[in-house]
Amino acid sequence: MSIASLKPTGDIAALLTRVPAISPTTRISDVGELFLNDTYARLLSLPVVDKGVPVGSISRYQMINIFLMRFGREIYGAKPVSQVMNAQPLLVPIEQPLDAAAQHVARNIGTPITEDFIITENGRYLGVGIVLDLLRAMEQRVAASTASLAEAYGQLKASQAQLVQSEKMASLGQMVAGVAHEINTPLGYLRNNVEMMQGVFGQLREVLADHDRLLDLMAAESPDEDAIHQQLVKASSASAELRDSGTLDDTEALFKDTLFGADQIKELVVNLRNFSRLDQAKVAEVNLNESLDQTLVIARNVLKNKVEILRRYGEIPPVACSPSQINQVLLNLITNAAQAIEHNEGRLLLKTESDDSHVHVSVQDNGRGIPQEHLQKIFDPFFTTKPVGQGTGLGLSICYQIVQAHGGKLRVASIPGKGSRFVVSLPLATAQAAAA
Ligand SMILES: Nc1ncnc2c1ncn2[C@@H]1O[C@H](COP(=O)(O)OP(=O)(O)OP(=O)(O)O)[C@@H](O)[C@H]1O
Ligand SMILES: [Mg+2]
């Protein structure tokens, strides 16, 4: 049963037990007989109605008390029920919603529960509602809302997983843009260097050709001394020029540069692979100092020249975590820090330390800081102060989830105008749950 199938009104009708009411003048001894009648078998109390209007209720319990009294039957038997009935019975209008009726009954019913309630329409008697039926109806409703809550929870979890995925894709996109940019720079000068080396190679070829020509002249059957002399001057001056102009030293430097550029690209690619760890997304023993370094390479593009990076790495033990997820956390924090710095003296302090139980990574910036009233909200999904299209507001909420899934803590301290500090604390004990 779903909630929607329970109409907001009209549920009381389902609880209606249509039984004949008794009149206030009914003799008490007759009431005792009526209770034995099948019609009233399920009822805790009988409705007392006068000219269609409910005026009271008489319970089995009350009757038993009377009959148990010494000479009870003799004293009361012939008297009208109106003398002993509860003159303020519980009334529930038929159009009342189930919840309201249940609240009204719960608030006004006595303990022990000895009476049922009377159902009315426009103040007139319709029938009796059995308290136990009301309880059952409520129980069903709770079960139904629990089921739909569980369903809503399931849907929420699924869409949350989707959000995590899209944030991953977004940070992947950001990362790819950054890495492309990082690869482009060394690639640019690599190409320049090769072009320059091509020029030098041409010069070298010419020198070589001059020397070859000299050798040919010298090896001739009848050597022409003048020609040999001229060629000797030409060849040696070309060699001297190449040597003295420093071209060879320059070229050697170019080679070094080129190899450096190639290594840089290689480092980026290695980092990129480590960063995403697509090959091993599960839990691994990770040194967070290395994670920070890997992330910095990836984040180089957002940090650019405007931010000075200070690394105060402590000697920390490895922690069991999902490296790609933790890198995602660090990238989000570092990106936020870079985005919060609007001046030219940006500083990003990255600190790591450990105690008996945790490794702590602190990412601290001297950016604009976070106003007190925002501190409560920054971990909420979709909370962002960035212009539309620039921030999804998911970064920190995902960081929070990831850290929590690792059994860790993510804390923030900030002074508006001075800067913010985010601390990720991960437990030393293995965080197997993270892989889930
Ligand atoms: N280091 C920081 N300094 C100042 N404000 C911050 C910092 N980190 C987060 N915030 C504030 O918290 C908000 C939420 O951050 P969060 O990373 O969740 O989303 P976002 O950065 O706005 O968007 P997204 O990360 O999806 O691009 C930010 O919009 C910003 O106002
Ligand atoms: Mg962010």
Side-chain angles (χ1 to χ4, degrees), residues 32 99 199 233 285 288 307 344 347:
D99 290 347
V233 170
E285 293 276 318
L288 295 182
V307 182
N344 294 328
R347 241 180 306 110

Side-chain angles (χ1 to χ4, degrees), residues 99-416:
D99 290 347
Q103 269 178 26
H104 173 64
V105 171
R107 228 173 266 141
N108 296 295
I109 206 160
T111 45
I113 297 171
T114 57
E115 291 184 28
D116 290 314
F117 54 94
I118 294 172
I119 298 176
T120 60
E121 187 169 40
N122 300 326
R124 300 188 66 80
Y125 174 76
L126 266 187
V128 174
I130 295 174
V131 172
L132 201 64
D133 291 345
L134 180 67
L135 281 178
R136 287 205 181 108
M138 284 309 290
E139 192 184 294
Q140 268 180 351
R141 174 165 285 199
V142 169
S145 37
T146 307
S148 62
L149 270 180
E151 193 187 320
Y153 177 70
Q155 281 169 354
L156 204 68
K157 264 195 112 164
S159 61
Q160 207 176 30
Q162 233 165 15
L163 279 182
V164 171
Q165 191 55 28
S166 57
E167 168 72 11
K168 257 194 198 158
M169 294 314 285
S171 54
L172 193 71
Q174 209 174 37
M175 204 170 81
V176 167
V179 170
H181 185 273
E182 287 308 307
I183 288 182
N184 227 12
T185 311
L187 211 58
Y189 68 74
L190 231 103
R191 202 186 139 61
N192 271 345
N193 290 0
V194 171
E195 266 173 19
M196 274 152 75
M197 286 177 332
Q198 249 178 343
V200 176
F201 185 73
Q203 275 178 284
L204 277 173
R205 251 188 203 286
E206 269 170 37
V207 171
L208 207 62
D210 280 339
H211 279 85
D212 281 349
R213 223 165 292 136
L214 180 63
L215 287 180
D216 286 348
L217 287 172
M218 285 165 75
E221 272 180 31
S222 49
D224 176 344
E225 290 293 328
D226 274 356
I228 290 177
H229 183 253
Q230 271 178 21
Q231 186 61 28
L232 186 66
V233 170
K234 193 176 172 209
S236 57
S237 75
S239 301
E241 196 192 319
L242 202 58
R243 201 170 38 245
D244 299 341
S245 64
T247 306
L248 291 179
D249 291 341
D250 287 351
T251 311
E252 214 169 4
L254 280 184
F255 274 117
K256 260 199 198 147
D257 248 23
T258 307
L259 286 176
F260 178 75
D263 282 346
Q264 256 192 323
I265 294 178
K266 187 173 143 196
E267 187 199 6
L268 269 165
V269 172
V270 168
N271 271 307
L272 196 58
R273 215 176 46 204
N274 286 342
F275 189 86
S276 57
R277 290 269 174 103
L278 295 174
D279 41 343
Q280 37 177 305
K282 299 272 173 200
V283 172
E285 293 276 318
V286 174
N287 183 319
L288 295 182
N289 289 343
E290 285 169 18
S291 302
L292 273 172
D293 282 340
Q294 284 164 15
T295 307
L296 280 174
V297 174
I298 305 296
R300 218 181 272 164
N301 198 37
V302 282
L303 295 168
K304 272 285 132 235
N305 307 321
K306 68 172 188 178
V307 182
E308 181 192 1
I309 299 162
L310 304 170
R311 303 178 210 218
R312 302 255 162 80
Y313 293 174
E315 276 195 24
I316 48 169
V319 285
C321 65
S322 155
S324 64
Q325 289 188 352
I326 292 304
N327 282 351
Q328 198 184 349
V329 170
L330 298 176
L331 182 65
N332 278 336
L333 295 182
I334 290 173
T335 307
N336 279 348
Q339 288 168 342
I341 295 171
E342 290 155 325
H343 48 78
N344 294 328
E345 278 149 26
R347 241 180 306 110
L348 178 69
L349 174 61
L350 302 171
K351 228 162 74 179
T352 57
E353 58 194 6
S354 63
D355 54 33
D356 293 345
S357 57
H358 288 81
V359 170
H360 309 278
V361 181
S362 145
V363 177
Q364 185 175 352
D365 64 66
N366 62 344
R368 99 179 79 82
I370 304 167
Q372 184 67 31
E373 68 269 23
H374 286 176
L375 276 180
Q376 303 297 321
K377 302 187 204 150
I378 55 170
F379 296 109
D380 293 349
F382 304 115
F383 176 81
T384 181
T385 54
K386 289 163 195 169
V388 180
Q390 264 188 38
T392 61
L394 283 175
L396 283 179
S397 82
I398 292 199
C399 290
Y400 195 87
Q401 275 178 33
I402 292 178
V403 173
Q404 209 175 31
H406 280 76
K409 280 214 164 74
L410 176 57
R411 281 164 297 174
V412 58
S414 184
I415 303 174

